């Protein structure tokens, strides 16, 4: 029995040695043994591809889908053993080719750009293999996907398509040279073409990785990206006035409703050209809180206090610089309330000094506007500080109130009724004279001596000896005090009976003084 078994064992080994040309590779070692030969071989025939594909279903699938290296027209007709021969021992490389001369385009994945400079093992590594059957196999080139995220991290974290080639090239990831913004929902026009991507597509940290948001951005309204400098006053349809060419280039300017701004156009402002105020660009907001922000200070700082200039609107309106809205009621609250004739004067008569207007005066004395015609004629004690109001009133210039008793000539009788000018002024066609300080107090200084010097004593005629200031009648004259007192029948004679009117080359006058007093001068003998 033992002898029989020994002979059978020797026969089997000898037979096996004749059938198997050598050991299988490490990958196929589980197929060792006579009972497994027919899994790869058909008796009496070569190894057919079908036998290989019975196990390598993934390659069968690639052939059926016409994808991968094995579907290449030069590879597909070949026998599997042409490239993958067996029975050369456990350490034999069943997948063996020259990596330096291998045409990678035959795989359906053409190496371009940066891919041409990397090592095969950088991509063909187990961590990138998707097929479970190949995950634990060393040295395999099968099981990879041509999808970029097989080897590369999905920077967009699933927010965009996994087909990276839509936007990127193998030359470099940034910039996305193949991306055309015209294919997006938001087409770039005007100045948007000059904006950096990151200005709209912000970079942030998401899931502990750098992330740039491209999908899901709000862009229906301009304010989704831009600050509304108008604070909602003009609505949210910015394109009614602006375009993407330039924010500062305003369209439909003629139809712009300025009333919606903080500065509605009123009066003469409606006639002003836009550029007159908006110097740089139409969208530039000029200062407009005060009139002098645009207009020069016509009053040259007269209404400035503590470095601040009062606004023109207190006296003027947009309807026109003139007339002023500074009312009489307001003027009455100033240091110079208007009264009398001043109420009837137009403003410019006082406030237009030479060619310029002036509204604030250091002095409010009358001589600020009026000439002191009495200067040098009236003593200072009667006209202190050239204050005309000591005598005159604003109601009427000729209405004078002066206490004449302050002088050496007290006004009495008819003197109280006459005008000052009757005594103090001389008018002629050629000149106008006034006499105050140098005016003589003798009657003949103002009145004609109708007596032709008959009563002059020591060069003076004292009219008051006979006359009063109430009338010209000689009420104070007493004939008994003369050299010829009246008595008897003389007392009954009219004055004209003795005192005749005579005529001389100098004029007519009544003869009161006689060279001698004799009866024969009046009575005939």
């Amino acid at each position: 029995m033992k002898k029989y078994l020994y002979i059978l064992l020797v026969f089997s080994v000898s037979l096996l040695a004749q059938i198997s040309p050598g050991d299988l590779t490490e990958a196929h070692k589980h197929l060792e043994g006579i009972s497994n030969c027919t899994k790869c071989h058909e008796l009496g025939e070569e190894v057919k591809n079908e036998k290989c594909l019975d196990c390598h279903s993934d390659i069968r699938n690639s052939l059926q889908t016409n994808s991968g290296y094995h579907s290449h027209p030069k590879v597909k007709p070949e026998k599997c053993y042409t490239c993958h021969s067996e029975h050369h021992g456990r350490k034999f490389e069943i997948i063996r080719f020259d990596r330096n001369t291998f045409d990678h385009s035959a795989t359906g994945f053409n190496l371009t750009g940066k891919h041409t400079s990397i090592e095969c093992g950088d991509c063909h590594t187990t961590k990138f293999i998707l097929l479970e059957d190949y995950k634990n196999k060393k040295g395999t080139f099968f099981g990879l996907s041509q999808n970029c995220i097989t080897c590369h991290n999905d920077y967009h974290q699933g927010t965009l398509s996994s087909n990276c080639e839509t936007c990127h090239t193998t030359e470099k990831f940034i910039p996305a040279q193949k991306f055309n913004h015209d294919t997006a929902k938001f087409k770039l026009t005007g100045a948007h073409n000059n904006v950096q991507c990151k200005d709209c597509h912000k970079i942030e940290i998401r899931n502990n990785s750098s992330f740039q948001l491209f999908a899901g951005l709000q862009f229906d309204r301009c304010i989704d990206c831009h600050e509304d400098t108008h604070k909602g006053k003009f609505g949210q349809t910015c394109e009614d006035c602006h375009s993407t060419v330039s924010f500062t280039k305003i369209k439909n300017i003629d139809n712009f409703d300025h009333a919606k701004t903080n500065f509605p156009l009123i009066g003469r402002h409606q006639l002003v050209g836009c550029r007159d105020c908006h110097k740089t660009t139409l969208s530039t907001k000029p200062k407009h809180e005060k009139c002098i922000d645009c207009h020069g200070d016509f009053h040259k700082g007269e209404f400035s206090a503590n470095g601040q200039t009062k606004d023109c609107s207190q006296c003027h309106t947009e309807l026109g610089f003139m007339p002023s809205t500074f009312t009489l009621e307001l003027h009455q609250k100033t240091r110079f309330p208007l009264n009398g004739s001043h109420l009837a004067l137009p403003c410019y008569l006082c406030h237009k000094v030479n060619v310029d207007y002036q509204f604030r005066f250091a002095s409010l004395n009358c001589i600020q506007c009026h000439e002191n015609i009495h200067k040098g004629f009236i003593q200072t004690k009667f006209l202190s500080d050239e204050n005309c109001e000591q005598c005159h009133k604003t109601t009427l210039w000729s209405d004078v109130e002066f206490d004449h008793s302050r002088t050496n000539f007290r006004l009495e009788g008819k003197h109280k009724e006459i005008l000052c000018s009757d005594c103090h002024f001389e008018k002629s066609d050629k000149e106008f004279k006034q006499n105050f300080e140098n005016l003589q107090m003798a009657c003949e200084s103002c009145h004609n001596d109708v007596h032709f010097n008959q009563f002059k004593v020591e060069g003076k005629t004292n009219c008051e000896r006979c006359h009063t200031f109430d009338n010209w009648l000689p009420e104070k004259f007493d004939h008994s005090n003369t050299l010829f007192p009246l008595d008897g029948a003389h007392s009954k004679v009219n004055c004209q009976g003795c005192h005749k009117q005579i005529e001389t080359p100098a004029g007519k006058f009544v003869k009161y003084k006689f060279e001698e007093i004799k009866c024969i001068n009046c009575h005939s003998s």
Side-chain angles (χ1 to χ4, degrees), residues 47-53 56 59 63 70 75-86 94:
V47 177
K48 293 187 176 181
N49 288 354
E50 285 300 319
K51 286 292 186 179
C52 297
L53 297 178
H56 297 283
I59 296 179
L63 292 172
H70 295 91
V75 179
K76 191 173 183 179
E78 295 292 336
K79 301 296 183 180
C80 296
Y81 61 77
T82 304
C83 297
H84 308 290
S85 61
E86 263 292 1
I94 195 171

Side-chain angles (χ1 to χ4, degrees), residues 235-280:
Q236 297 179 347
T237 53
C238 307
E239 58 271 20
D240 288 347
C241 298
H242 303 280
S243 70
T244 58
V245 174
S246 172
F247 180 76
T248 58
K249 186 175 182 179
I250 309 301
K251 62 181 182 180
N252 300 326
I253 189 63
D254 294 335
N255 299 323
F256 179 72
D257 185 5
H258 216 285
K260 292 181 178 179
T261 70
N262 289 335
F263 193 83
L265 297 182
I266 304 172
R268 290 185 177 272
H269 284 161
Q270 295 177 345
L271 306 177
V272 177
C274 303
R275 292 290 183 184
D276 292 337
C277 296
H278 301 274
K279 302 290 186 182
T280 307

Side-chain angles (χ1 to χ4, degrees), residues 268 312-327 347 357 359:
R268 290 185 177 272
C312 309
S313 59
Q314 296 185 26
C315 301
H316 306 278
T317 70
E318 297 90 340
L319 298 178
F321 188 73
M322 296 292 287
S324 169
T325 58
F326 188 77
T327 62
C347 306
Y357 279 85
F359 291 88

Side-chain angles (χ1 to χ4, degrees), residues 207-225:
N207 298 324
N208 297 323
S209 299
S210 179
F211 173 78
Q212 191 168 14
L213 184 63
F214 287 98
L217 288 174
Q218 295 295 322
F219 56 84
D220 295 332
R221 302 173 303 173
C222 298
I223 59 174
D224 290 331
C225 293

Side-chain angles (χ1 to χ4, degrees), residues 43-234:
L43 295 177
E45 296 185 19
E46 61 182 4
V47 177
K48 293 187 176 181
N49 288 354
E50 285 300 319
K51 286 292 186 179
C52 297
L53 297 178
D54 286 342
C55 290
H56 297 283
S57 59
D58 46 1
I59 296 179
R60 180 188 294 278
N61 291 334
S62 69
L63 292 172
Q64 290 175 348
T65 58
N66 200 32
S67 60
Y69 175 72
H70 295 91
S71 296
H72 191 273
K74 292 183 179 181
V75 179
K76 191 173 183 179
E78 295 292 336
K79 301 296 183 180
C80 296
Y81 61 77
T82 304
C83 297
H84 308 290
S85 61
E86 263 292 1
H87 297 288
H88 300 293
R90 288 282 193 268
K91 303 300 182 180
F92 182 73
E93 294 183 36
I94 195 171
I95 302 174
R96 186 156 53 99
F97 60 92
D98 188 348
R99 298 186 180 186
N100 294 325
T101 61
F102 178 72
D103 183 9
H104 207 284
S105 62
T107 67
F109 188 82
N110 192 24
L111 295 182
T112 58
K114 294 290 185 180
H115 287 161
T116 61
S117 60
I118 61 177
E119 297 295 330
C120 301
D122 293 339
C123 293
H124 295 281
T125 179
T126 55
K127 68 177 181 179
F128 296 145
I129 293 176
L130 301 179
L131 299 177
E132 291 295 333
D133 293 342
Y134 289 87
K135 275 190 175 294
N136 297 318
K137 293 181 179 180
K138 295 181 179 180
T140 181
F141 290 90
F142 207 83
L144 294 182
S145 169
Q146 294 187 9
N147 196 313
C148 299
I149 59 175
T150 299
C151 299
H152 302 282
N153 291 329
D154 182 7
Y155 178 78
H156 304 298
Q157 300 189 27
T159 58
L160 298 179
S161 169
S162 61
N163 186 9
C164 305
E165 290 182 297
T166 303
C167 303
H168 302 279
T169 68
T170 58
E171 295 294 334
K172 53 185 177 181
F173 183 72
I174 298 175
Q177 294 178 341
K178 295 172 68 175
F179 176 71
N180 184 358
H181 219 291
D182 289 341
T183 63
K185 294 180 180 178
F186 187 82
K187 296 177 175 55
L188 298 181
T189 58
H192 285 160
N193 286 300
N194 303 324
V195 177
Q196 296 294 320
C197 303
K198 64 182 180 180
D199 291 339
C200 296
H201 301 282
K202 304 299 183 183
I203 299 176
E204 58 186 46
I205 299 299
R206 180 179 293 190
N207 298 324
N208 297 323
S209 299
S210 179
F211 173 78
Q212 191 168 14
L213 184 63
F214 287 98
L217 288 174
Q218 295 295 322
F219 56 84
D220 295 332
R221 302 173 303 173
C222 298
I223 59 174
D224 290 331
C225 293
H226 301 280
E227 178 186 0
D228 181 7
T229 60
H230 305 302
K231 308 302 180 185
K233 287 183 180 179
F234 306 133

